[in-house]
């Protein structure tokens, strides 16, 4: 596709998480199921373990989980901080927050963790209450102004000497094995532009943390690999091709052809995809 023929679209124009106020119950349920499926990926388990290791999650801590989604990370955090600790989830999407609240109630951990339905950038939580403030795949969905405000609020919420940690993927690191390289490149390019407010947030996190005044900033890269046609990643690959067709990056016929080949690969047990996630940590007023 030449520069002249490249479709002009609004960055993040097909990012569901950029318009959470418009979700109905069906879309909330669909995303809750998809996020739960993603969480079962073995590399996602390794990612969460790396997060716990980098942030030194431990007994008695207070943790704030920005954009806690369905609460799966909150429950792991609640187990790690013990009865003397506290986990506070911030989730602006009511449907996802409801799933998280139900899980917390069913887990018997309601005394040490709860969910607040509000945006992280304007949360009414008191400042300097958290030992660790976490944002897991959150910042890349926020437009620049709200993203900066959210990171600033995370820093305000964190005690002196505590840490802020974020995990975001980088859209341009999405690779998928498909014989049509030129068509695949267009789908990948569309994904980076259409699916996030900033598809490059993974690589930008270190600079954003430094600009925000965080100290001793470190980054760890964790690749996510999927080979199953029943995986979150396969479903997302199908959706990304559909969005590329919808927004004019590829034609309807190219979409059908690309998906037909992808399904053939999956049937033959040859599906492969990976994406890099970037865990970035920084400390407050060391």
């Amino acid at each position: 596709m030449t520069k002249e023929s490249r479709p002009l679209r609004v960055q993040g124009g097909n990012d569901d998480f950029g318009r959470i106020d418009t979700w109905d119950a069906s879309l909330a349920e669909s995303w809750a199921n998809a996020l739960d499926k993603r969480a079962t990926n073995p590399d996602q388990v390794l990612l969460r373990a790396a997060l716990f290791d980098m942030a030194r999650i431990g007994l008695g801590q207070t943790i704030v989980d920005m954009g806690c989604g369905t609460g799966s990370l909150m429950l792991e955090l609640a187990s790690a901080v013990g009865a003397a600790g506290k986990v506070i989830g911030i989730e602006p999407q009511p449907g996802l927050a409801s799933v998280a609240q139900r899980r917390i109630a069913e887990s018997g951990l309601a005394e040490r963790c709860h969910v607040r339905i509000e945006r992280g950038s304007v949360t009414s939580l008191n400042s300097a209450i958290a030992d660790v403030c976490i944002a897991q795949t959150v910042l890349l969905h926020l437009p620049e102004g709200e993203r900066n405000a959210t990171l600033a609020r995370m820093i305000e919420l964190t005690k002196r000497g505590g840490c802020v940690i974020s995990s975001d993927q980088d859209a341009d690191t999405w690779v998928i094995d498909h014989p049509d390289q030129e068509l695949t490149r267009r789908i990948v390019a569309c994904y980076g532009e259409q699916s996030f407010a900033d598809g490059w947030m993974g690589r930008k996190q270190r600079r954003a943390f430094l600009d925000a005044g965080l100290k001793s900033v470190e980054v760890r890269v964790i690749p996510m690999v999927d080979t199953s046609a029943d995986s979150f990643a396969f479903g997302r690959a199908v959706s990304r091709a559909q969005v590329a067709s919808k927004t004019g990056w590829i034609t309807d016929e190219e979409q059908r052809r690309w998906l037909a080949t992808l399904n053939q690969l999956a049937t033959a047990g040859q599906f492969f995809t990976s994406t890099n996630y970037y865990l970035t940590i920084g400390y407050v007023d060391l």
Side-chain angles (χ1 to χ4, degrees):
M1 180 175 293
T2 66
K3 183 177 181 180
E4 291 73 21
S5 65
R6 178 181 180 275
L8 298 176
R9 299 290 183 266
V10 176
Q11 179 72 40
N14 278 272
D15 182 359
D16 284 342
F17 289 89
R19 49 177 181 270
I20 55 174
D21 295 338
T22 68
W23 288 19
D24 58 17
S26 176
L27 184 57
E29 181 181 8
S30 175
W31 268 113
N33 292 336
L35 293 174
D36 285 347
K37 179 176 282 191
R38 182 178 69 175
T40 64
N41 178 293
D43 290 329
Q44 286 283 340
V45 176
L46 290 176
L47 177 67
R48 295 194 296 275
L51 185 153
F52 276 57
D53 176 60
M54 290 178 73
R56 297 182 182 135
I57 305 295
L59 294 173
Q61 290 181 332
T62 295
I63 314 290
V64 173
D65 184 7
M66 287 283 193
C68 66
T70 59
S72 55
L73 179 62
M74 285 188 69
L75 296 182
E76 293 182 24
L77 291 167
S79 296
V81 301
K86 183 183 296 185
V87 180
I88 304 166
I90 307 294
E91 176 51 57
Q93 211 297 310
L96 298 182
S98 176
V99 174
Q101 289 167 332
R102 183 174 68 250
R103 284 186 168 158
I104 290 168
E106 292 171 350
S107 73
L109 297 172
E111 290 187 0
R112 70 181 80 162
C113 60
H114 69 277
V115 177
R116 300 166 65 97
I117 305 177
E118 57 186 359
R119 290 188 176 272
S121 58
V122 294
T123 176
S124 56
L125 283 172
N126 292 330
S127 298
I129 61 168
D131 297 287
V132 181
C133 195
I134 299 169
Q136 187 179 38
T137 58
V138 171
L139 298 181
L140 79 173
H141 291 294
L142 303 178
E144 185 176 7
E146 185 176 1
R147 181 169 67 243
N148 291 340
T150 299
L151 183 54
R153 192 71 185 104
M154 291 173 71
I155 293 170
E156 291 173 356
L157 292 171
T158 305
K159 301 173 184 176
R160 183 172 183 176
C163 67
V164 171
I165 186 164
S166 176
S167 169
D168 268 329
Q169 63 266 51
D170 191 295
D172 278 10
T173 69
W174 175 44
V175 300
I176 185 164
D177 181 24
H178 195 287
D180 193 329
Q181 295 182 5
E182 189 277 332
L183 182 53
T184 300
R185 288 190 184 104
R186 277 189 276 148
I187 294 170
V188 171
C190 174
Y191 165 61
E193 180 186 278
Q194 291 293 299
S195 296
F196 306 103
D198 191 341
W200 276 20
M201 196 59 215
R203 75 189 68 184
K204 290 181 177 179
Q205 279 185 137
R206 181 177 184 274
R207 174 157 51 95
F209 274 39
L210 291 169
D211 286 345
L214 289 162
K215 310 300 182 184
S216 300
V217 177
E218 298 178 16
V219 181
R220 190 179 300 181
V221 184
I222 310 288
M224 299 290 120
V225 174
D226 263 304
T227 59
S228 169
D230 190 41
S231 65
F232 169 86
F234 185 86
R236 290 298 95 196
V238 172
S239 175
R240 290 163 195 171
Q242 292 168 342
V243 169
S245 175
K246 171 185 173 184
T247 54
W249 285 80
I250 65 175
T251 66
D252 290 344
E253 189 280 327
E254 286 174 327
Q255 176 204 200
R256 287 190 291 271
R257 173 160 47 86
W258 193 86
L259 289 177
T261 301
L262 187 70
N263 280 302
Q264 289 171 4
L265 291 170
T267 300
Q270 296 177 337
F271 172 67
F272 175 87
T273 187
S274 71
T275 304
N276 286 353
Y277 281 69
Y278 295 80
L279 267 173
T280 305
I281 189 169
Y283 293 83
V284 177
D285 292 331
L286 281 176

